Amino acid sequence: MNNSKAVARNLASMMDMLMTKTTAPSIAESLTHDLAIRIMHGDLSEHQSLPGENELALQYQVSRTSVRNALQALGAKGMLSIQAKRRSVVTPREQWNFLDSEVLLWLTESGMEEKMVEQLIVARLIFEPNVAALAAVNATGHDLAALEDAYQLMAEGQSHNQRELFERGDLAFHLALLRASHNPFLLSLSNALSSAMSLSFKQTLEDDVRLTKEALQQHFVLLDAIRLKQVDTARQRMREILLKAAQKRLQNYQPEIFNHID
């Protein structure tokens, strides 16, 4: 395996680990998870006050320290408003940190409604076509090799109907695009955005990966545009990839807002 292919596999594996817990959760982490899912399901609704620490400790049969740690964790993710000597309050969804990998994981577990998928695609439409354009301007030979190896992972996953391998290749491809932009500000965003992109792939990928032949071809055409430094073509090809992915999840319904994002 050449070095760039190893990098593509390792990078995708690391980002996949961000979305997957590999160790047993602590009591506080388990409580954090349970409260988060209750919030996302609406059992604990927006602006609702949670029970006090003592009450939660009795309800869950845990220590006050575990309760306090759980509440602080959710507060740090924007899901709770915490003030001294007052009960914690569920915040509006607009205040949640949707670039937090755990928030995205909980969102997947609780069931992601179409409106949220739509907003996720909107964010990617604003961002990724221009990243592809920058990659067409700035990509080096090393960047192109990384993109090609990520594409090969996708192709291998598609031909062997291995969903996880296809997802890893897809994520590696889009992260390689970010690196190929050679923009330090965009690169600083890559870790946060990678979790959102991983969630997006899981929402729009076919159950039978053998049916992804069209998506694979679209990525090849995009790669070719970047290789040939066709800036406008690269931007348009990325937009087409995202719109096609949205069609799969939104059942061929294209929200009007998509038409207003160039």
Side-chain angles (χ1 to χ4, degrees), residues 104-123:
L104 292 172
L105 181 60
W106 297 332
L107 193 64
T108 303
E109 290 180 24
S110 64
M112 194 170 181
E113 66 264 25
E114 288 195 352
K115 187 63 177 177
M116 287 300 298
V117 176
E118 176 185 325
Q119 293 300 322
L120 179 56
I121 297 296
V122 165

Side-chain angles (χ1 to χ4, degrees), residues 5 28 43 46 57 74 76 90 93 99 110 113 115 167 169 177 183 186 195 198 215 217 222 250-251 254:
K5 182 170 285 190
D43 299 333
E46 183 177 314
L74 292 173
V90 178
R93 182 169 286 203
L99 293 182
S110 64
E113 66 264 25
K115 187 63 177 177
E167 287 180 353
L177 276 179
N183 181 298
L186 294 177
S195 295
S198 181
Q217 177 62 24
L222 170 59
L250 301 177
Q251 299 179 342
Q254 179 168 308

